[in-house]
Amino acid sequence: MRWAHTGDGRVGIDRGIRVDSTAVRVAAVFRLAVAITAAAVGSFLPHVSGERAVVFFIVDLVWVPWAAVVLFASEQPGARVARLGGPIGDLLVIGLSQGLLAQAAVPNFDAAILPAYLVVVVFSVYTLERPAAVGIGVAAIAVPTVAQRLLPVTDRLGAAVLAPYAVAVVLLLLLIERTTRMQTRAASQYALLSSKADTILAHVADAILVTNAEGRILQSNPAVARIVGCADEPLVGRSCEELLGLHSGERRLDCSAGCGLLRSDLGDDAGLGVEVWRIGSNTERQPLLASASRVESDGGDVEVVHSIRDITRLKEAEEAKTLFLATASHELKTPLTVIHGFADTLVRYDDLDEEVRSAALNAIRARATELSRIVDRLLLSSRIEAGRLQLTCQELEIESLITSRVASFAAATGREVVASLEDLPTVVSNEDALITVVDHLIDNALKYSPGGEPVEVGAVCDAEWVQVEIADHGIGMDSEQAAHCFEKFWQAESSDVRRFGGTGIGLYIVQSLVEAMGGTASVSSERGAGSRFTLRLPRPRVPEPAEELTPTGDGEATSIREFMRQIGVPERRVR
């Protein structure tokens, strides 16, 4: 078949080319063989003369060369000459031979040659477009009918032979046309399904491997190279077990007696896959979700289809959420414990002096404020993730806001917080959101500078942006930590989260709020040298000044003259 890709992405079949080039070449070879055989037989027959000699002369000098030309033409793309020229040449040779042999009064030759016409009709209907095939069928009826005129009336084939022959030609035309149409429709549907399957396999995120019964790879999709990390290596023919090296628990899957994923002891009864792992390209465990299905053909051939999904990010998210729950629970429990302890003391002891009672109430209030702040962050994170965060932005004096937050933190913590802000313009922002962002970044800078290093806050601006930088000289982060620090549930000190506390959602909230205000948040950091967080906030857009027209005394007339000047009408002066 020759497949044609249509403009809308579907795959169809060229109506005029219904069989592949191999079938056309086979027919051309068969035609040439018959012609050469006929020529050879004619050269050995004794007493060949007259019209019979002319028949073999036509076969030798016309049909054999023409059949050779058709054979060579069948090698060309499309093989148009072979498809159309072959049947036309066959009809001419058969028709001339019938006419000449009819004049030579060869007995029963007319009836014997009719099946040859039917063979040509069958080939034409199967290979040619409908108009050409119908033309060949009409010629197959007309040529033998005309040839009968060369015979005496007594020797002509009667209607009892010609009528069934004509009916047979018409039925062949209809039957083979219907069969070919059904074949074309089935082939088109097959091509469409095949193209759809190839497209799905090429773009699906899961790795798909097809192996034989011995575990050798027969087919794979591009996701295999991405997940396994073998983009430049050929996969067909390789051992699936050696390529993947899957483990279940601490035991390597044994595929020596067949696919290890098909064993019932792995617990994949629902066909949803089992959790396995392999050593990835970074020499660390790569968690995978794998499943296998056995496919057996009618001939007994067995293939196994493997589906493999990389769940590394899923596992990381699951671990991060588990860590977050543990951390958040601890963060919530600490103020609750203090509140509960002081509240219990106040209830049980009525004789506490006023100073102790006041200290207890202040501690309860401070811890309640801390607890409220943690809950607010959790709720804000939930709103951001659900897409319900809506901020109303307006022009805001950023210099005074940052100065007040710096002074507040310096007074509350007794730490050195230095601000370098000079004549900053206004920004388009939301005051509450910006306070939340600045407070968290300053608080983080102080928290991750356990040696008491100063925190520096500075800002620069250009025509479109105001860039705020909050830097510390604390523990810092390496490049991998800096690349993930704005992700939800992530903490730089994942091995010792209790050292500095926190829930791991603060920087996620910072970036989300800044982006909601039309800005960007980024970080540059080095382990042991501190971190520098940069906020870029948009300045208000200054509208372009409108061109002002100089007013004159004759208002309406001046407006008309100005309009005429703009459209190119010359001004006429009246004297």
Side-chain angles (χ1 to χ4, degrees), residues 317-498:
E318 184 178 341
E319 293 173 2
K321 286 187 177 182
T322 301
L323 179 62
F324 164 75
L325 290 175
T327 305
S329 299
H330 184 88
E331 291 293 316
L332 291 171
K333 186 176 181 180
T334 300
L336 285 174
T337 301
V338 174
I339 291 173
H340 182 270
F342 278 109
D344 188 58
T345 300
L346 292 174
V347 170
R348 294 177 60 184
Y349 301 100
D350 296 334
D351 55 347
L352 294 175
D353 57 46
E354 192 62 31
E355 184 177 352
V356 174
R357 183 181 296 275
S358 177
L361 291 174
N362 287 333
I364 291 175
R365 182 174 62 182
R367 294 300 181 174
T369 302
E370 180 183 350
L371 185 63
S372 176
R373 184 170 63 251
I374 294 174
V375 173
D376 287 343
R377 286 185 179 180
L378 293 175
L379 293 175
L380 181 56
S381 171
S382 176
R383 287 171 54 201
I384 292 173
E385 190 171 9
R388 297 196 301 268
L389 178 65
Q390 295 181 351
L391 297 179
T392 301
C393 297
Q394 57 187 5
E395 287 193 40
L396 189 66
E397 294 287 345
I398 188 173
E399 184 174 342
S400 59
L401 184 147
I402 295 178
T403 301
S404 66
R405 302 318 301 164
V406 167
S408 175
F409 270 94
T413 61
R415 297 278 298 273
E416 184 179 1
V417 185
V418 181
S420 300
L421 310 172
E422 294 183 2
D423 299 328
L424 293 182
T426 60
V427 295
V428 178
S429 181
N430 179 278
E431 183 174 3
D432 293 336
L434 188 55
I435 289 175
T436 300
V437 169
V438 173
D439 281 0
H440 184 81
L441 291 181
I442 296 177
D443 182 54
N444 259 17
L446 293 171
K447 181 168 60 176
Y448 288 101
S449 303
E453 297 87 352
V455 173
E456 301 168 355
V457 181
V460 295
C461 63
D462 56 27
E464 297 182 1
W465 301 92
V466 172
Q467 182 171 299
V468 180
E469 295 182 348
I470 300 174
D472 64 74
H473 302 279
I475 63 173
M477 298 179 286
D478 58 33
S479 58
E480 183 179 0
Q481 291 172 335
H484 296 281
C485 69
F486 289 108
E487 295 179 7
K488 193 176 182 182
F489 306 137
W490 188 91
Q491 285 182 307
E493 289 292 307
S494 57
S495 61
D496 189 11
V497 295
R498 297 278 31 92

Side-chain angles (χ1 to χ4, degrees), residues 44 74 154 180 203 253 258 291 306 350 406 410 463 478 516 538 550 562:
F44 289 105
S74 66
T154 55
T180 305
H203 294 87
L253 291 183
S291 63
H306 304 74
D350 296 334
V406 167
D478 58 33
T550 303
E562 177 63 22

Side-chain angles (χ1 to χ4, degrees), residues 308-324:
I308 301 170
R309 177 178 300 176
D310 187 356
I311 56 174
T312 302
R313 297 298 300 271
L314 219 67
K315 284 293 185 181
E316 290 176 351
E318 184 178 341
E319 293 173 2
K321 286 187 177 182
T322 301
L323 179 62
F324 164 75

Side-chain angles (χ1 to χ4, degrees), residues 109-406:
F109 182 79
D110 283 341
I113 205 171
L114 292 181
Y117 286 106
L118 296 179
V119 173
V120 175
V121 171
V122 170
F123 178 80
S124 302
V125 175
Y126 189 68
T127 60
L128 296 177
E129 299 176 1
R130 183 180 299 171
V134 171
I136 294 294
V138 172
I141 296 175
V143 170
T145 303
V146 172
Q148 294 299 306
R149 299 298 178 184
L150 302 177
L151 292 175
V153 177
T154 55
D155 295 333
R156 294 176 184 175
L157 294 175
V161 175
L162 291 178
Y165 166 75
V167 172
V169 170
V170 174
L171 290 178
L172 276 176
L173 287 172
L174 297 176
L175 179 61
I176 299 178
E177 167 65 17
R178 176 177 173 80
T179 303
T180 305
R181 190 185 304 115
M182 294 175 62
Q183 177 189 1
T184 301
R185 188 182 300 113
S188 177
Q189 186 68 18
Y190 170 78
L192 178 61
L193 294 176
S194 179
S195 176
K196 185 186 298 184
D198 291 342
T199 302
I200 292 173
L201 286 178
H203 294 87
V204 71
D206 293 355
I208 306 297
L209 278 173
V210 181
T211 64
N212 58 16
E214 290 75 32
R216 296 289 173 181
I217 298 176
L218 302 177
Q219 290 177 290
S220 64
N221 68 339
V224 175
R226 175 177 52 80
I227 292 177
V228 178
C230 53
D232 300 328
E233 303 176 23
L235 299 182
V236 175
R238 292 187 59 179
S239 169
C240 176
E241 182 180 10
E242 294 177 0
L243 175 67
L244 299 178
L246 299 180
H247 293 71
S248 178
E250 298 303 319
R251 174 172 54 89
R252 182 180 175 116
L253 291 183
D254 181 14
C255 300
S256 58
C259 179
L261 290 173
L262 291 175
R263 292 204 309 266
S264 59
D265 61 336
L266 294 179
D268 187 20
D269 298 332
L272 300 178
V274 293
E275 287 192 21
V276 294
W277 60 272
R278 62 183 296 271
I279 299 298
S281 56
N282 56 355
T283 68
E284 296 182 357
R285 287 195 179 191
Q286 180 184 19
L288 303 169
L289 185 67
S291 63
S293 301
R294 180 187 177 94
V295 180
E296 187 170 354
S297 66
D298 296 337
D301 296 331
V302 176
E303 295 181 355
V304 180
V305 180
H306 304 74
S307 174
I308 301 170
R309 177 178 300 176
D310 187 356
I311 56 174
T312 302
R313 297 298 300 271
L314 219 67
K315 284 293 185 181
E316 290 176 351
E318 184 178 341
E319 293 173 2
K321 286 187 177 182
T322 301
L323 179 62
F324 164 75
L325 290 175
T327 305
S329 299
H330 184 88
E331 291 293 316
L332 291 171
K333 186 176 181 180
T334 300
L336 285 174
T337 301
V338 174
I339 291 173
H340 182 270
F342 278 109
D344 188 58
T345 300
L346 292 174
V347 170
R348 294 177 60 184
Y349 301 100
D350 296 334
D351 55 347
L352 294 175
D353 57 46
E354 192 62 31
E355 184 177 352
V356 174
R357 183 181 296 275
S358 177
L361 291 174
N362 287 333
I364 291 175
R365 182 174 62 182
R367 294 300 181 174
T369 302
E370 180 183 350
L371 185 63
S372 176
R373 184 170 63 251
I374 294 174
V375 173
D376 287 343
R377 286 185 179 180
L378 293 175
L379 293 175
L380 181 56
S381 171
S382 176
R383 287 171 54 201
I384 292 173
E385 190 171 9
R388 297 196 301 268
L389 178 65
Q390 295 181 351
L391 297 179
T392 301
C393 297
Q394 57 187 5
E395 287 193 40
L396 189 66
E397 294 287 345
I398 188 173
E399 184 174 342
S400 59
L401 184 147
I402 295 178
T403 301
S404 66
R405 302 318 301 164
V406 167

